[in-house]
Amino acid sequence: MFSSKCTSKARLDGKTAIVTGSNTGIGKVTAKEFYRLGARVILACRDVKKAEQAVEEIVAEVQGDGVGQLVIESLDLASFASIKLCAKSILQKEKHIHLLVNNAGVMTCPKGKTQDGFETQFGVNYLGHFLFTMLLLPRIRSSTPARIVNVASLAHVFGSINFKDINHDANYSPATAYSQSKLANVLFSKELSRKLEGTGVHVYSLHPGIVRTELTRTLDQVYFPGMWFLGRIFLYPWVKNPKQGAQTTLYCSLDEKSGTETGLYYSDCKVKEPSAAARDPELAKKLWETSIEMVGLKDYDMFNCSGDALPEPLKDV
């Protein structure tokens, strides 16, 4: 299949980048490219051992002058406690954060809850990244120009935000819950970009494509044995490998033209129009307000606090 490629010649020397879920798949490719371009790359991963293996492989594969640094931080997006500990650790060590790529995720998994009681896909794909971003935001704002890149999905077009049953307790569908979480990613990007207008922090959401990664590991369990094998046969012309799947993330993170844009949705390294729901400013505002309540940040003003100190929610962590 034809796959667009990020052609930016930008370097990341002296820059600090964070990539969640970067021990495998497109996250690993993203971290590897940032490292090649000279960045200090923080691999924020749930499985530290796999992250250590990823670091060894990246270092072995990327040789020569001008490479950056690779740092591992433990991050379980299904746990607010883990997210706060990770954010605190990063803020205590890093003076600047120039790039945050919210890449980690789960897809069409069996019904379950995060440690804080939220439906797994909404909690991990969206709410965990929302909290992580908010805690790091003052430091990001003090590191401009900076970018926040949220990996969403074309599946957002099938999504709606069910405020009355956000956890899908009444009627759980893996695909419906996944689409809700990805619509939330796009709405979050739109509202965050609005709130950050004129600050030098630009925000992006994107569809990476149908990518051959571990994200599909639960399909057979949720539907029937052989589901992903059959899907790969029928979808073969459109399936990307991780390197191809990472190109739009890299475009949003590096490209000079995208660096003048914010709040937009991308696919195949181009701006695309998201769904009507994803363009609804009132829905975006309502989701923002609901999310602030869910993650316990009602009394935290992340837009007016200093980037030099720990945010108030982390002082007792």
Side-chain angles (χ1 to χ4, degrees):
M1 65 161 291
F2 173 78
S3 180
S4 298
K5 185 176 180 180
C6 174
T7 58
S8 172
K9 303 300 182 184
R11 293 280 306 175
L12 293 175
D13 303 290
K15 304 293 186 181
T16 298
I18 302 170
V19 186
T20 68
S22 42
N23 61 284
T24 188
I26 64 177
K28 181 181 175 184
V29 174
T30 302
K32 179 180 176 180
E33 185 64 9
F34 289 172
Y35 172 69
R36 186 184 71 80
L37 294 173
R40 177 176 170 82
V41 187
I42 299 169
L43 292 83
C45 302
R46 181 177 59 84
D47 193 323
V48 171
K49 288 187 177 180
K50 286 186 177 180
E52 290 171 347
Q53 182 179 347
V55 165
E56 290 179 4
E57 292 170 354
I58 291 171
V59 170
E61 293 167 7
V62 182
Q63 302 289 327
D65 298 329
V67 298
Q69 297 173 289
L70 296 170
V71 179
I72 297 171
E73 291 285 350
S74 176
L75 173 65
D76 182 354
L77 287 160
S79 164
F80 288 172
S82 174
I83 293 166
K84 290 178 180 179
L85 283 171
C86 182
K88 183 174 184 178
S89 177
I90 290 172
L91 292 172
Q92 288 174 331
K93 298 172 185 175
E94 309 297 334
K95 293 183 179 180
H96 302 285
I97 301 171
H98 304 96
L99 258 173
L100 171 60
V101 178
N102 290 319
N103 163 82
V106 292
M107 187 179 82
T108 56
C109 52
K111 186 176 183 179
K113 296 285 181 70
T114 66
Q115 292 184 23
D116 304 279
F118 297 100
E119 187 275 318
T120 301
Q121 296 179 91
F122 185 77
V124 171
N125 296 347
Y126 168 63
L127 211 54
H129 279 125
F130 179 90
L131 175 60
F132 192 52
T133 303
M134 292 301 97
L135 295 174
L136 297 177
L137 192 58
R139 188 65 48 85
I140 295 171
R141 289 178 62 244
S142 67
S143 306
T144 54
R147 305 190 195 193
I148 298 170
V149 180
N150 295 313
V151 179
S153 170
L154 179 62
H156 84 273
V157 304
F158 304 109
S160 61
I161 307 298
N162 187 351
F163 290 104
K164 293 183 179 179
D165 186 18
I166 206 82
N167 291 314
H168 293 270
D169 290 321
N171 185 22
Y172 179 73
S173 159
T176 300
Y178 179 71
S179 296
Q180 174 182 253
S181 74
K182 290 303 173 179
L183 173 59
N185 289 148
V186 182
L187 288 166
F188 169 47
S189 303
K190 180 68 72 174
E191 183 65 7
L192 182 59
S193 71
R194 186 186 70 81
K195 291 180 178 294
L196 290 172
E197 186 176 0
T199 66
V201 181
H202 290 198
V203 188
Y204 311 80
S205 63
L206 65 97
H207 169 56
I210 304 170
V211 188
R212 188 168 58 250
T213 70
E214 293 181 8
L215 191 64
T216 55
R217 60 185 175 273
T218 59
L219 284 177
D220 288 4
Q221 181 181 352
V222 169
Y223 294 104
F224 57 84
M227 168 66 178
W228 177 229
F229 176 76
L230 289 176
R232 285 178 64 179
I233 291 176
F234 288 110
L235 296 173
Y236 178 78
W238 298 278
V239 174
K240 299 179 180 180
N241 61 42
K243 184 175 181 180
Q244 293 170 326
Q247 294 305 306
T248 304
T249 298
L250 294 173
Y251 176 82
C252 292
S253 301
L254 301 169
D255 189 78
E256 295 79 359
K257 183 176 185 296
S258 70
T260 66
E261 301 166 341
T262 189
L264 302 178
Y265 171 78
Y266 299 76
S267 179
D268 282 324
C269 299
K270 296 180 181 65
V271 175
K272 297 292 176 66
E273 187 171 86
S275 68
R279 304 193 305 273
D280 184 340
E282 294 306 314
L283 180 60
K285 290 177 184 177
K286 184 177 180 179
L287 176 64
W288 179 281
E289 293 166 358
T290 302
S291 303
I292 288 291
E293 294 275 357
M294 287 177 169
V295 300
L297 295 182
K298 184 178 179 181
D299 299 320
Y300 166 51
D301 186 354
M302 70 290 297
F303 297 103
N304 291 307
C305 56
S306 170
D308 298 326
L310 278 177
E312 196 66 35
L314 296 180
K315 290 183 177 178
D316 296 327
V317 173

